Amino acid sequence: MGLRRVVVTGLGTINPLGNSVGEYFSNLDNGISGARLIKTFDTSLFKTRFACTVEDFDPSRYGIERRELRRIDRFAQFAMVAADQAVKDSGLDLSRLDLDRTGVILGSGIGGIQSLTEEIMGYSAGGNIPRFSPFLITKMISDMAPGLISIKYGFAGPNYTTTSACASSSHAMGDALNLIRLGKADVILTGGAEAPISEPSIGGFDSSKALSTNNEQYRTASRPFDATRDGFVMGEGSAVLVFEELEHALKRGARVYAEVAGAGTSADAYHITAPHPEGEGAMKVMRLALEDASLSPGDVDYINVHGTSTPLGDVAELRAVKRLFGEHAYKLNISSTKSMHGHLLGAAGAVEALACIHAVRDSIVPPTINFQFEDPDIDYRLNLTLNKSQRREIRVALNNTFGFGGHNSCLVFKAFSEAK
């Protein structure tokens, strides 16, 4: 008996480009920037004073009671709202679902860092009496998002969080794929959530020189592949996808967005923050993902690259693409949607998975915006989908995500056909 096939039957998101999947896709297509000045704390002492933020977010609209909000960190609120959208979008009938075979696996790089920051700053300002909130631990730990979702819906199957820096949600989706393939579950809500925009996050990444400090041009500061790029722009939000075993989905007449064809993982084994200069791990993880999907490099039409707008990372990833794909690299579309929604850290892969599914389902490649100046280290014969979305049929899309520590993940989404 072979591996079971897995498809995507539900989508949900809250991110800097929209509070729904439709709004997100529309702003992707139109090349809208989600960068804004940070308003939640005083940034005057920081090198970076902007981020890609979620606007007009009211979790009480999605069934989270206001009295419960003080017990749930912002990252978990994002996850719960995205999950609510995905469940509704999937058309799952919970009364007929085997809850023991329905799980939740999400990724988050730093979990409830906003709650931890608030509590420590409050303690520091309040003297020596340790008056911490009784909800601090459950707000802080990154596994709480899938826990809360499982409690809300009664999903009693596999339930945990993966943490691998910016590859977290992609590793979560890879785990979900394999658990369903192996018959351990029929349905898994998967993706990621992150709410990192806080003093320690901005200050820490600033000190490591990873963030853009282009405060004068913050709307266009995320500029992958541009010679003037100076670091990534932090983002926040969540995306949740419903992964479902194919026969289970067909039996209930579900709408299928795309097939999850394969996943790969690798490590650079090189440096805690810098990528391998020749993209060794990136090349390997794409190759492994394609092998897992029983596809060849020539089958790929689009790559949503990690493309964080850092001087080293963008160059190394494109070198990896050229090494693996050879001449076919010049027939691909490549884009970095981080130019629009920013870098959502542990949730990046999930938000970008939605962009890949949009490309496959709707035959449109989202652009890499904010490009102006050529970098002599980048080959612009590659179709980097600069500044404007492009229409073309996309049968197979890759989703690359890489994390500090050298963690690499790649997912393969393809157009769905009942034929194997």
Side-chain angles (χ1 to χ4, degrees), residues 44-278:
S44 60
L45 297 178
F46 292 80
K47 296 177 183 177
T48 298
R49 298 191 292 275
F50 61 96
C52 288
T53 57
V54 171
E55 300 294 293
D56 301 320
F57 176 64
D58 182 359
S60 65
R61 298 175 187 168
Y62 301 90
I64 305 175
E65 296 183 11
R66 291 190 179 275
R67 63 184 179 84
E68 290 294 316
L69 292 180
R70 67 187 183 96
R71 304 182 182 185
I72 304 172
D73 186 86
R74 184 173 172 87
F75 94 99
Q77 294 175 24
F78 286 152
M80 294 181 73
V81 169
D84 181 77
Q85 293 178 6
V87 168
K88 289 175 179 174
D89 184 55
S90 71
L92 285 166
D93 183 346
L94 302 186
S95 68
R96 306 180 71 174
L97 195 62
D98 186 343
L99 300 179
D100 289 337
R101 295 184 58 80
T102 305
V104 188
I105 303 175
L106 301 181
S108 184
I110 47 181
I113 194 168
Q114 288 192 6
S115 294
L116 180 61
T117 301
E118 291 168 3
E119 291 289 328
I120 290 176
M121 292 178 71
Y123 170 64
S124 177
N128 296 321
I129 301 173
R131 291 175 177 167
F132 289 95
S133 167
F135 306 114
L136 170 60
I137 301 303
T138 53
K139 291 172 73 175
M140 178 187 72
I141 53 179
S142 58
D143 70 311
M144 196 49 57
L148 288 165
I149 293 166
S150 73
I151 291 168
K152 177 177 179 179
Y153 297 103
F155 298 156
N159 188 278
Y160 57 89
T161 288
T162 57
T163 298
S164 50
C166 304
S168 297
S169 59
S170 290
H171 280 132
M173 290 184 286
D175 282 4
L177 166 65
N178 286 322
L179 285 171
I180 296 174
R181 275 175 161 179
L182 294 170
K184 307 296 184 182
D186 296 323
V187 179
I188 296 180
L189 273 65
T190 187
E194 206 81 272
I197 301 170
S198 62
E199 294 92 327
S201 299
I202 297 295
F205 279 111
D206 263 346
S207 294
S208 66
K209 299 181 179 179
L211 288 183
S212 171
T213 58
N214 194 347
N215 297 297
E216 299 304 314
Q217 298 176 305
Y218 67 89
R219 295 284 293 178
T220 62
S222 183
R223 48 184 71 170
F225 318 128
D226 188 282
T228 63
R229 66 192 184 279
D230 69 331
F232 74 80
V233 177
M234 191 177 292
E236 63 175 355
S238 173
V240 174
L241 300 81
V242 177
F243 280 17
E244 188 169 356
E245 191 272 324
L246 174 59
E247 294 304 321
H248 188 278
L250 294 178
K251 186 176 180 179
R252 67 181 186 86
R255 171 186 51 202
V256 174
Y257 285 104
E259 182 168 1
V260 194
T265 62
S266 76
D268 278 3
Y270 175 74
H271 189 274
I272 58 172
T273 57
H276 189 284
E278 298 302 317

Side-chain angles (χ1 to χ4, degrees), residues 329-335 379-386 390 392:
Y330 299 100
K331 301 176 183 178
L332 298 166
N333 269 83
I334 297 167
S335 73
D379 183 354
Y380 292 99
R381 293 176 299 162
L382 297 168
N383 185 354
L384 303 176
T385 322
L386 297 174
Q390 295 177 15
R392 66 171 286 183

